[in-house]
Amino acid sequence: MRAPPPRSKAALSERDFLEALPAMNTTATVLAVLWVLRNEPMDMRPLGRYPDRHFTEAAPRLLMRRFRRRLR
């Protein structure tokens, strides 16, 4: 809010109410940030889990198994 909350129960004018609200661009920015934070990316995968088989050699596969064990 751009203004402190009212201290009395007296009725506010529409102008006082609108002046207390945050600026529209601030509200839009906050809503955009909240939307991004609450939505997980569709291609998200757990650390150490790689569906594509990029490495077929024994040494990298051993390192990946060790890494997964350490994560557990």
Side-chain angles (χ1 to χ4, degrees), residues 5-67:
R7 292 179 182 243
S8 67
K9 298 274 184 177
L12 290 175
S13 67
E14 183 178 347
R15 182 173 182 228
D16 292 335
F17 177 75
L18 292 175
E19 285 179 359
L21 293 176
M24 191 180 302
N25 61 341
T26 303
T27 303
T29 302
V30 169
L31 288 174
V33 167
L34 291 174
W35 186 85
V36 167
L37 291 175
R38 82 175 218 1
N39 289 316
E40 292 180 358
M42 296 299 171
D43 62 345
M44 187 175 125
R45 52 182 88 104
L47 186 62
R49 301 291 174 192
Y50 311 106
D52 303 330
R53 297 193 68 189
H54 296 292
F55 301 105
T56 56
E57 297 88 3
R61 295 180 69 184
L62 175 64
L63 292 172
M64 289 192 300
R65 277 196 302 274
R66 285 182 187 165
F67 179 64

